[in-house]
Every structure is written in structure tokens, then in C-alpha cells.
Amino acid sequence: MSTFIMFGKYTSEGFNNISQERTGKIAEIIKKHDGEIHKMYAILGEYDLVFLIDFQNTKTAMQASVALRKFSGINFTTSPALPVEMFDELMGGEFYSDWESPQS
């Protein structure tokens, strides 16, 4: 499983039918695509929603993102997320070439 962050932005269509029922159907769509929901937040700012979800792979994350748009009228930007520790390990310090590595 890989973690993805889904940023949702309401369209004019997406503002229609805001309800607990629609949120429940959104959760069903995510689960239908083998997604495991960790958190779903409504937020203020550039985006209206943020979901933290585990999917099997990028393909299922993309399919879920498109299915949610078709169902809800909410535009989703779906991005993979990696723990910083794993990112640091993958990069192996290669970005520190111009200055001293933090491990030194």
C-alpha cells in the first residue's frame, strides 16, 4: 500500500448535495478502489478538502480520483506521499553535494 494525499476543490456542481450521505458514498467509492481512508478533512484556503488514503498503487489512486470527480463534481488533485525518513533514505544525501551532509 502507498499513501496518497487527495486535495479536493469544489466546483459549482460540487457545492450541490453536500451531505453526510454524499460523504458516505465518497468513502464507498474509495473503498471500492481498495483504498483505506486514514483521515478526511474539510479545510479553508486554496482547497476545500484533504483526504489521507492508502491505495494499492498509482493506478487505483487515479481511478478513484476520476470516479470521485464523476460522482461528486469535486475536482481532486491526487499526490503520492512518502515519509520524510524514507525520502531521505532514497535520496542517499545526493542533494547535499554543494554543502556538508547533515550526517557529517
Side-chain angles (χ1 to χ4, degrees), residues 80-97:
L82 200 60
V84 172
E85 299 82 9
M86 186 180 288
F87 176 79
D88 289 345
E89 184 178 317
L90 288 170
M91 294 300 106
E94 73 181 69
F95 293 108
Y96 298 111
S97 61

Side-chain angles (χ1 to χ4, degrees), residues 9-18 22 68-75:
K9 189 164 185 72
Y10 286 115
T11 63
S12 56
E13 175 190 357
F15 277 110
N16 296 329
N17 304 318
I18 294 174
R22 182 173 79 173
L68 290 174
R69 169 59 176 103
K70 286 180 179 180
F71 168 74
S72 68
I74 301 169
N75 289 329

Side-chain angles (χ1 to χ4, degrees), residues 1 23-38 40 53-56 60 64 68:
M1 295 285 266
T23 300
K25 288 181 182 178
I26 285 172
E28 287 177 24
I29 291 169
I30 291 168
K31 290 175 185 173
K32 179 182 172 188
H33 289 87
D34 297 323
E36 181 183 330
I37 300 168
H38 291 283
M40 297 170 73
I53 302 173
D54 283 347
F55 285 107
Q56 292 292 326
T60 56
L68 290 174

